[in-house]
């Protein structure tokens, strides 16, 4: 028997197949733009496996009880409010847990950590955040805390998929970085960051200021940087750390680390939460 963890991102779906807690296979597919087609793709990807627990990590905010999307749809068109668990059940697919992708990534990272007050910043298609404090995820009053990609950093700025203008993810996500890099004529992120391009320096300084604000608010013991940004530009963590120490106040320690699991964190966390949910039901 296998355990499955699926990470549904704005551009790519990644299915992790686990045996005994070890990742033994990863399958990838483009994320369809239509929610019903996402369900069709999930059915295709999971069909070969006889599984014990199945969890999904998804962009956007989630209704955990009903296994549905709630207020924000992330970067998937029509995802807001979509009854994912019900749609999968109609195809005979049992979903054990549904959680925000960045929360899942942090759950995966915390599996082998012993510290507390850990902040995860996922810089991918958008920006997502998760915070682990008091031995558990901080979820807020409605379960949708840490939507840090939607902190407004520029008044009247670029229009975000969420409907606001000037959200952080429009400026400091991997997608925003990739657009700047291509516009400047670079193919490799680290080459772009090492250049004298004004847009590269502005990205580092702006992202550092943004992280300084998060550190001043949350006082984390560690800030884990994950998502596609680490793939595009492996030097980003060291560059952001240096800029934060240079620009921040005396409260700023810039405890930045690259996420240990990289882009696999969402799959790992989704699997772990699904197994926890299954155990909880079996014990009752």
């Amino acid at each position: 028997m296998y355990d499955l963890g699926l990470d549904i991102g704005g551009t790519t779906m990644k299915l992790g197949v686990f045996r005994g807690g070890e990742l033994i296979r990863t399958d990838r597919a483009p994320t369809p733009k239509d929610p019903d087609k996402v369900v069709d793709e999930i059915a295709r990807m999971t069909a070969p496996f006889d599984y014990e627990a199945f969890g999904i990590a998804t962009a956007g905010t989630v209704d955990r009880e009903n296994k549905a999307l709630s207020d924000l749809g992330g970067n998937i068109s029509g995802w807001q409010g979509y009854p994912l668990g019900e749609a999968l059940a109609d195809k005979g697919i049992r979903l054990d847990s549904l959680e925000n992708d960045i929360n899942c990534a942090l759950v995966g990272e915390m599996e082998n950590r012993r510290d507390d007050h850990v902040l995860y910043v996922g810089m991918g298609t958008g920006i997502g955040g998760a915070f682990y404090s008091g031995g558990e995820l901080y979820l807020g009053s409605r379960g949708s805390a840490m939507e840090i990609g939607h902190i407004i950093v520029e008044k009247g700025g670029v229009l975000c998929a969420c409907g606001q203008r000037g959200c952080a993810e429009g400026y400091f996500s991997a997608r925003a970085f990739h657009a700047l890099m291509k516009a400047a004529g670079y193919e490799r992120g680290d080459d772009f960051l090492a250049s004298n391009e004004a847009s590269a320096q502005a990205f580092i300084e702006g992202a550092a200021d943004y992280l300084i604000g998060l550190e001043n608010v949350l006082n984390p013991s560690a800030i884990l940087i994950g998502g596609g940004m680490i793939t595009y530009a492996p030097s980003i963590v060291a560059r952001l750390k240096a800029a934060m120490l240079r620009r921040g106040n005396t409260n700023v320690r810039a405890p930045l680390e690259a996420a240990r699991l990289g882009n696999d964190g969402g799959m790992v966390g989704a699997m772990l939460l699904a197994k926890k949910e299954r155990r909880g039901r079996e014990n009752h």
Side-chain angles (χ1 to χ4, degrees):
M1 292 283 281
Y2 301 101
D3 296 309
L4 305 180
L6 178 68
D7 186 352
I8 304 176
T11 55
T12 304
M13 298 169 60
K14 297 186 300 179
L15 178 69
V17 182
F18 299 82
R19 181 186 288 137
E22 295 295 320
L23 179 63
I24 62 170
R25 173 173 169 173
T26 303
D27 293 339
R28 292 176 171 81
T31 303
K33 299 304 180 186
D34 176 80
D36 290 335
K37 288 186 169 53
V38 170
V39 171
D40 290 340
E41 190 63 29
I42 294 172
R44 184 193 68 78
M45 295 177 79
T46 59
F49 306 105
D50 183 16
Y51 64 85
E52 182 175 351
F54 175 35
I56 289 180
T58 179
T61 53
V62 300
D63 175 346
R64 294 167 185 86
E65 183 176 351
N66 295 309
K67 297 183 179 65
L69 281 298
S70 55
D71 299 321
L72 294 176
N75 289 287
I76 301 173
S77 178
W79 207 226
Q80 180 179 342
Y82 188 75
L84 180 59
E86 181 181 313
L88 288 171
D90 288 344
K91 291 185 175 291
I93 300 170
R94 189 197 72 245
L95 178 61
D96 295 297
S97 70
L98 178 68
E99 184 54 83
N100 171 265
D101 54 354
I102 307 301
N103 283 342
C104 284
L106 183 51
V107 167
E109 293 289 334
M110 294 305 299
E111 178 71 358
N112 293 303
R113 295 183 71 106
R114 296 293 176 263
D115 50 349
D116 202 4
H117 310 297
V118 177
L119 171 64
Y120 190 106
V121 180
M123 301 169 74
T125 305
I127 291 179
F131 190 52
Y132 196 89
S133 183
E136 61 185 11
L137 288 170
Y138 175 70
L139 298 177
S141 64
R142 293 185 292 113
S144 58
M146 300 306 298
E147 285 290 335
I148 60 174
H150 301 293
I151 294 172
I152 294 174
V153 296
E154 182 170 339
K155 180 181 178 181
V158 297
L159 180 64
C160 180
C162 78
Q164 297 178 162
R165 286 189 174 273
C167 289
E169 66 179 42
Y171 301 87
F172 309 132
S173 63
R175 179 165 60 181
F177 175 82
H178 190 259
L180 292 173
M181 180 183 76
K182 290 296 186 181
Y186 287 83
E187 295 298 322
R188 296 181 66 251
D190 280 346
D191 291 343
F192 176 52
L193 290 176
S195 73
N196 291 320
E197 295 285 347
S199 57
Q201 301 314 307
F203 180 89
I204 287 292
E205 291 174 1
D209 289 348
Y210 169 64
L211 292 170
I212 285 168
L214 294 174
E215 183 176 354
N216 274 313
V217 170
L218 295 170
N219 190 27
S221 63
I223 302 174
L224 308 183
I225 304 296
M229 194 68 231
I230 300 297
T231 303
Y232 283 144
S235 70
I236 190 71
V237 173
R239 293 181 184 278
L240 285 173
K241 184 180 182 74
M244 288 175 69
L245 291 172
R246 187 172 66 248
R247 298 168 70 85
N249 60 30
T250 55
N251 187 54
V252 172
R253 301 289 187 269
L256 267 66
E257 305 173 23
R260 175 180 58 87
L261 295 173
N263 281 330
D264 291 343
M267 297 186 303
V268 174
M271 178 273 296
L272 290 170
L273 289 172
K275 291 187 71 172
K276 180 180 178 181
E277 180 68 23
R278 289 281 293 172
R279 285 195 301 268
R281 286 203 302 268
E282 289 167 359
N283 291 336
H284 285 85

